[in-house]
Amino acid sequence: MRMDIGRLGLWETGTWAEFQRPEVLAELEDLGIGAVWLGGSPPADLRIPERLLSTSNRLVVATGIVNVWDAPPEVAAESYHRLSSYADRFLLGIGAGHRPMVGEAYTRPYEKLVSYLDALDEGGVPVAGRVLAALGPKVLKLAAERTAGAHPYLVTPAHTSQAREILGAGPLLAPEQKVVLSTDPAAARELARRRLAVYLTLPNYTNNWRRLGFTDDDLAGGGSDRLVDSMVAWGDEDAIRTRVKAHHAAGADHVALQVLNPDKLAVLRVLAPALA
């Protein structure tokens, strides 16, 4: 059975130091956050997920994502089983990362994902306990066939619609969505561009944006306003609610918010009641 992770999540990179206190995790639960996503490339020992699981009551904790080039599948499987008491609240998200960051080892990423999933099968990690970072049609199909579903990153509701069509009705679809709670266009776009800068150098994302209809002009100069506004939902509560609802209407089961404002918890206190 597919894990119930709620309609709304929180995506955050780093050590999660801001959110590790039990009272903060309890507040996230009360706000209607169903899952927290550990962004970047969390280590395969899964110590950060373990801390979050042990200090929360209902939250699902997911990795978004463990990088298949950095984390041996045997270590990931062993760590997954160490968390067996939390099996109903933990999702092992895996993905292939990016050639510029991995280097020469980055060859045949699709085949690498397949072999990694094979090794997780051998290690006893259940299909229902893992999800796959997926953007293109081939990997989305793999996510539907070999995992509980897909966790697309930096996508639009149009991509969510395409992903749902490829996945079919059953698998989990949990896109990430960046948000800035601000009605000042210049300030909001400045925060957005600062966060998007690294992704404009990564072919996995730029190629996906081109598939979605963006052009080289959109990718130049830190990103056009059209690209920035499509990747980062900014504005007041209603504007951000409209974007999240668009993902749900397009077929998302769950939307993981990445808050770009400095005071993330304050923003969640405003947004979550309107979104959960």
Side-chain angles (χ1 to χ4, degrees):
M1 293 180 63
R2 193 177 72 186
M3 191 179 300
D4 181 7
I5 67 172
R7 300 274 283 174
L8 189 68
L10 171 62
W11 193 104
E12 178 67 16
T13 191
T15 64
W16 276 76
E18 180 180 356
F19 297 98
Q20 283 193 29
R21 300 194 307 278
E23 65 272 18
V24 175
L25 294 173
E27 183 175 1
L28 293 181
E29 292 175 339
D30 291 342
L31 287 171
I33 301 296
V36 293
W37 295 81
L38 281 68
S41 298
D45 63 12
L46 304 180
R47 293 298 179 184
I48 298 174
E50 186 173 25
R51 288 197 295 272
L52 295 173
L53 288 163
S54 67
T55 51
S56 61
N57 296 313
R58 303 188 305 274
L59 283 172
V60 172
V61 178
T63 55
I65 48 79
V66 167
N67 192 313
V68 297
W69 306 98
D70 298 334
E74 299 79 11
V75 176
E78 182 180 350
S79 300
Y80 179 91
H81 291 301
R82 194 184 73 248
L83 303 182
S84 60
S85 61
Y86 304 109
D88 60 339
R89 293 202 292 127
F90 178 64
L91 279 173
L92 178 65
I94 65 168
H98 306 279
R99 186 184 305 276
M101 295 179 173
V102 174
E104 294 181 1
Y106 193 96
T107 58
R108 306 176 69 86
Y110 180 83
E111 286 75 8
K112 177 71 171 181
L113 287 171
V114 170
S115 66
Y116 202 95
L117 291 169
D118 290 343
L120 292 182
D121 287 342
E122 294 174 8
V125 177
V127 169
R130 63 202 196 201
V131 293
L132 188 60
L135 293 175
K138 192 173 181 181
V139 181
L140 283 164
K141 186 177 180 183
L142 181 65
E145 294 171 346
R146 301 287 305 274
T147 77
H151 175 50
Y153 186 85
L154 263 180
V155 294
T156 63
H159 182 277
T160 295
S161 179
Q162 296 170 12
R164 175 50 71 197
E165 185 175 353
I166 294 167
L167 291 170
L172 176 71
L173 179 54
E176 174 267 356
Q177 175 64 62
K178 292 174 177 55
V179 301
V180 176
L181 185 62
S182 172
T183 57
D184 181 336
R189 287 175 176 144
E190 180 184 0
L191 275 177
R193 283 193 170 90
R194 195 182 308 161
R195 188 71 181 98
L196 291 176
V198 65
Y199 302 111
L200 285 162
T201 69
L202 300 176
N204 289 10
Y205 293 116
T206 56
N207 290 339
N208 191 56
W209 293 337
R210 290 186 179 96
R211 285 194 294 266
L212 292 170
F214 295 97
T215 68
D216 288 346
D217 288 341
D218 288 309
L219 306 182
S224 68
D225 285 353
R226 182 170 85 105
L227 178 70
V228 169
D229 295 352
S230 296
M231 294 303 124
V232 181
W234 61 266
D236 61 12
E237 300 156 61
D238 288 339
I240 294 173
R241 182 191 301 115
T242 296
R243 180 71 61 85
V244 173
K245 287 179 67 176
H247 279 291
H248 285 307
D253 302 292
H254 173 97
V255 179
L257 300 183
Q258 182 178 170
V259 179
L260 303 187
N261 301 77
D263 193 340
K264 302 175 191 301
L265 189 55
V267 170
L268 288 171
R269 287 170 179 149
V270 173
L271 291 181
L275 297 175

